[in-house]
Structure formats: structure tokens, C-alpha cells
Amino acid sequence: MLHSNFQTAHDEQKSMQAVSYQEKFICIDNIGQVNAPHITTCLDEENDNYHYVIVVLQGTLDITVNGNRLALHANNYLSITPFTHIAIGASAAKIFMLAVQHHIMSDIFESIDFHVALSEQWYVYHHFHLTVRETDVLLNDYLRLKHEMQRQNYTLQEYAIRAGMAILISHICSISEATQKSKETKLTRQETLFYQFLDLLDQQYLEHRSLKHYATLLHTTPKHLSQITMEMARRNASKVIEEYVV
């Protein structure tokens, strides 16, 4: 089964955990790990029946979808549709992910009138950055879902799980639409600098980990760059770099 394919490094800390409700909904995470999280190769399969929702809380997740290799950093979101090949490689990352059977996710999309979910931009996979607050919202949604799935079976349990999933998807819709609108709206100089910083990190974090390096490329000072990241992401620039590298 899906969650039995997950293989992680075994030590005294908690590794990846999976909770399933009749294989219709599967919650998978390593948020219980106390020390620096580490995932060994944990998934490599042809995905014919599941929609995935993945959020990275810390570090960098190495994932390949249909041959396209992605590095998902802290506060990154990724959704993946069925009929895809997915491989998750060894990663130093703390993540949570949901797998939902295709027919159920289609019902949820229809129930919340989420037409964009079926549009071209969501074909195969959809990836975007989250703010810290948005990550917290999705994490809380996930934890409530996981708690519901861990309860003893009762008559309306699947309806409760579906409702919780609809709430999470609604929040994702709102975030996605807001992200799209922000791209269409003229950004302030501060916002532009912040997103340029993230783009540079995506490209260069393996080779360059110095705050001064990125500040120089952006024609600003390390102090000013940290002031911007504190306002945009509630952490200084050095901490942002550290979370990409870990």
C-alpha cells in the first residue's frame, strides 16, 4: 500500500508516520522528529489514483515528478495530480503530505466550485511559495484532519474527513488566487527585493550561503535585506538562508 512504501532513517527519534482512512485519505509526515529531520528515499512509484498535497516546513525536499526534479524549500507548497511518476529522494526536510483518492478529490473540487483546480495551470503539478502565516494555516488544517482520521470509526467519520479536506483545499484555493493576483499587481520595491532574494536562493543556495553574497547581488546591505525578510517572513535573512541549506 502507499504508506508502506515509505522508508526512512531509523533512530531514536520518530521517523515518517502514516495514518490512513480506508486508503481513501492518507496523512504522512515527520513533524514529530525532534532533531534535524532526515528522509531517506521514501517513495518511487507510478501514481495512478491519488492527488498529493505537500508542504515543506523546514529544510529542502528533493522530489521528481514525471522526470522534472524540484527542490522544495521551507514554506513551499506542491500539489500533484494522478497518472504521474513520483520519486522523493534523500532529503533533510520536515514535511507533511496528504494523499486523497482521485474521485474523492474531484468531488471536493466540485463541492467548493474550484474550477481552477482543473485548469491547465494545475495539470500534473502546481508549486508556489507560502508565507509563514499561510503555512501555519495549512498545518493546522492538516493536524485537525489527521486527528479526525485517528479517531475510532463512527458513522459519519468519512463525511467529517471530507469536510476537513474541503476546508484545507479552500484555503489552498484562496492562497493560490492571492498569489496569482499579487503577480498581476505591481509589487513594492520591498516585495520585489524579497522575491528576488528567494529566486537567487533557489538558484544558488548549494554554492553560496553568505548573506553578504546575496545582499551584494541585490545591490543592498545585509542589514537592509534582513529588515525586509523580517517584515515579509518574520525571520532575518540569515535564518532564511539557513532553512534553505538545512
Side-chain angles (χ1 to χ4, degrees):
M1 306 307 288
L2 177 69
H3 52 280
S4 66
N5 291 334
F6 281 76
Q7 301 172 345
T8 56
H10 294 287
D11 52 23
E12 295 180 354
Q13 307 300 327
K14 295 179 180 178
S15 59
M16 295 288 285
Q17 294 185 329
V19 177
S20 174
Y21 178 79
Q22 299 179 359
E23 299 299 327
K24 296 177 180 179
F25 304 86
I26 305 171
C27 289
I28 307 157
D29 66 71
N30 63 341
I31 58 181
Q33 288 184 334
V34 177
N35 295 329
H38 185 80
I39 305 170
T40 63
T41 302
C42 58
L43 177 65
D44 189 344
E45 69 169 29
E46 294 295 333
N47 169 43
D48 294 330
N49 193 37
Y50 286 93
H51 284 265
Y52 283 89
V53 169
I54 304 172
V55 176
V56 180
L57 302 172
Q58 178 185 335
T60 302
L61 177 68
D62 180 14
I63 184 168
T64 302
V65 183
N66 285 355
N68 298 308
R69 189 173 183 180
L70 305 170
L72 302 185
H73 304 296
N75 302 310
N76 272 204
Y77 163 89
L78 180 72
S79 64
I80 308 172
T81 63
F83 311 109
T84 48
H85 183 272
I86 304 171
I88 296 180
S91 306
K94 183 174 289 189
I95 69 169
F96 67 86
M97 59 193 298
L98 279 160
V100 182
Q101 287 184 352
H102 175 58
H103 72 280
I104 296 175
M105 188 66 95
S106 296
D107 288 345
I108 292 172
F109 286 155
E110 184 175 349
S111 72
I112 62 177
D113 197 25
F114 186 34
H115 299 301
V116 71
L118 305 178
S119 70
E120 186 174 324
Q121 68 167 332
W122 283 70
Y123 180 68
V124 181
Y125 66 85
H126 187 52
H127 168 225
F128 54 82
H129 295 287
L130 301 167
T131 66
V132 174
R133 183 177 179 181
E134 290 166 347
T135 299
D136 289 343
V137 168
L138 297 185
L139 176 59
N140 287 333
D141 290 343
Y142 171 82
L143 291 175
R144 283 193 291 267
L145 260 177
K146 183 179 178 181
H147 174 73
E148 191 64 44
M149 289 168 60
Q150 289 174 318
R151 295 177 63 185
Q152 291 186 346
N153 291 343
Y154 61 93
T155 304
L156 299 177
Q157 186 173 15
E158 182 169 343
Y159 292 98
I161 294 171
R162 282 179 179 247
M165 191 69 202
I167 291 171
L168 185 145
I169 294 299
S170 294
H171 286 150
I172 291 172
C173 296
S174 298
I175 294 168
S176 176
E177 290 171 0
T179 301
Q180 186 62 32
K181 287 180 181 178
S182 70
K183 290 179 179 178
E184 296 169 355
T185 304
K186 186 175 181 180
L187 300 177
T188 65
R189 185 179 183 281
Q190 179 172 302
E191 290 170 334
T192 299
L193 198 62
F194 176 72
Y195 291 119
Q196 286 175 341
F197 173 48
L198 293 183
D199 287 341
L200 284 172
L201 270 178
D202 276 335
Q203 300 166 20
Q204 302 186 20
Y205 77 97
L206 290 176
E207 293 82 18
H208 299 286
R209 305 177 182 182
S210 164
L211 171 56
K212 185 177 180 181
H213 169 78
Y214 293 103
T216 300
L217 291 178
L218 294 168
H219 307 289
T220 188
T221 65
K223 181 179 179 180
H224 184 232
L225 186 55
S226 281
Q227 288 173 339
I228 290 173
T229 60
M230 283 295 294
E231 184 163 339
M232 296 289 294
R234 296 192 300 190
R235 61 200 67 193
N236 62 37
S238 294
K239 183 65 175 176
V240 174
I241 295 171
E242 178 185 329
E243 291 179 350
Y244 265 67
V245 172
V246 171

